[in-house]
Amino acid sequence: MKIRILGTTAGGGLPQWNCGCTECTAARRTGSARHQDCLAVSGDGRAWYLVNASPDLRTQLLATPELAPAPGTRDTPLRGALLTSAELDHTLGLLTLREAAGLTIHATAAVRHALHHAFPAGPLLAAYTTADWHTVTPGKPVHLDGGLNAEPFALGGKRPRYAADLPDGPDWVTGYRFTEEGGAACAVYAPGLADWTPAMDRAVAGADLVLLDGTFATPDELAARTAGARRSPGMGHLAVRDSLPHLARHPGPRYLYTHLNNTNPLARDTPPELTAAGAAVAEDGLLIEL
């Protein structure tokens, strides 16, 4: 299994265009920008799938040699995308893929409904290419090209703001557990973890790699850094401080935090408690082979 980390920040990226917080100011000064969270995964190195499609997708694809078309062709190894939520920072990049001859997209029923009605990305994409949409259900594996299985698991019920009028439900946010057919490699991707549940316990058990929600370092990060009033639990994200104790219960995997908010100091410095827990911060462009 091969995994290319295309981006590692939450919506807005780092630096965020309208933010002068400490982290955004430092990123502008040092040129240490990060793209918005997105992943590419393959079971055989030939058939690749995106997990989410960030607004930065064009730049991310151009920086990824594994996803380049062969000389003289318009064919790429990209077979489709799996979505973890209907958030704009996870789905706007789908419209960047409109030149594709065809695309397979996997998402829960709630996410599909949002993208076809509240924010009509589905109809917009269909005007340009053939989009084959598949509904995923937590607990039911999806078989992908290249000998890769993706098992979705529920992470939370946080709806995007644009979908506030749509019904509540448990499957608005999902993670994926990727395994090779007939192989031992296992990777987990959970960039929108609202709480550490038994489903998360089962997902990380026996995994080689866990890419974990690192949106906020602490629950009150926004209040401390931007004078905002929102806390991380109410935004659907378990703070890194509160997820670290769970890593000790599941030793063995390589833990990398991703989906960092632009206010998160982990984008610049890795504190000793992360290292002590066997964890680190994911970096844009990192290629991992399992």
Side-chain angles (χ1 to χ4, degrees):
M1 189 188 308
K2 294 185 178 183
I3 295 171
R4 177 74 77 171
I5 299 175
L6 303 181
T8 54
T9 67
L14 180 71
Q16 184 170 302
W17 69 275
N18 65 339
C19 185
C21 73
T22 301
E23 309 310 325
C24 288
T25 300
R28 288 187 179 94
R29 184 179 65 251
T30 62
S32 54
R34 287 175 178 261
H35 293 299
Q36 293 171 81
D37 193 79
C38 191
L39 197 73
V41 59
S42 176
D44 62 359
R46 295 186 296 275
W48 286 82
Y49 289 83
L50 296 175
V51 194
N52 293 331
S54 90
D56 303 324
L57 187 57
R58 179 182 180 276
T59 300
Q60 293 169 339
L61 293 177
L62 292 177
T64 307
E66 296 89 353
L67 300 179
T73 76
R74 289 177 64 90
D75 183 34
T76 80
L78 185 60
R79 296 291 180 265
L82 302 96
L83 304 178
T84 66
S85 77
E87 297 287 352
L88 293 180
D89 54 303
H90 290 165
T91 57
L92 279 176
L94 290 174
L95 301 181
T96 301
L97 302 175
R98 63 189 179 276
E99 293 93 353
L103 197 65
T104 301
I105 305 170
H106 301 270
T108 64
V111 171
R112 287 189 61 181
H113 185 71
L115 294 178
H116 281 77
H117 298 282
F119 169 61
L124 284 173
L125 193 60
Y128 294 90
T129 188
T130 300
D132 187 12
W133 291 81
H134 294 263
T135 300
V136 302
T137 303
K140 295 185 178 180
V142 177
H143 303 289
L144 305 173
D145 291 347
L148 193 65
N149 292 322
E151 182 178 341
F153 58 96
L155 287 179
K158 180 180 177 291
R159 292 168 295 177
R161 294 187 192 182
Y162 71 81
D165 294 333
L166 295 183
D168 288 327
D171 299 336
W172 277 103
V173 185
T174 56
Y176 288 93
R177 177 182 167 99
F178 294 97
T179 55
E180 294 175 314
E181 293 178 358
C186 174
V188 175
Y189 185 56
L193 181 63
D195 194 13
W196 198 290
T197 64
M200 190 66 186
D201 282 328
R202 292 190 293 270
V204 303
D208 300 291
L209 172 71
V210 178
L211 291 161
L212 191 59
D213 189 341
T215 307
F216 299 108
T218 63
D220 298 310
E221 181 180 306
L222 279 183
R225 290 182 169 257
T226 65
R230 303 178 75 189
R231 301 181 75 249
S232 68
M235 299 176 69
H237 298 286
L238 185 67
V240 172
R241 187 192 71 185
D242 297 327
S243 66
L244 279 176
H246 296 281
L247 275 55
R249 299 192 298 108
H250 296 281
R254 178 185 181 185
Y255 289 99
L256 293 176
Y257 281 98
T258 188
H259 200 266
L260 279 66
N261 196 58
N262 62 291
T263 57
N264 194 332
L266 298 182
R268 285 194 296 149
D269 299 304
T270 301
E273 52 266 34
L274 245 69
T275 304
V281 175
E283 298 295 337
D284 286 20
L286 178 65
L287 177 65
I288 301 170
E289 299 188 42
L290 301 176

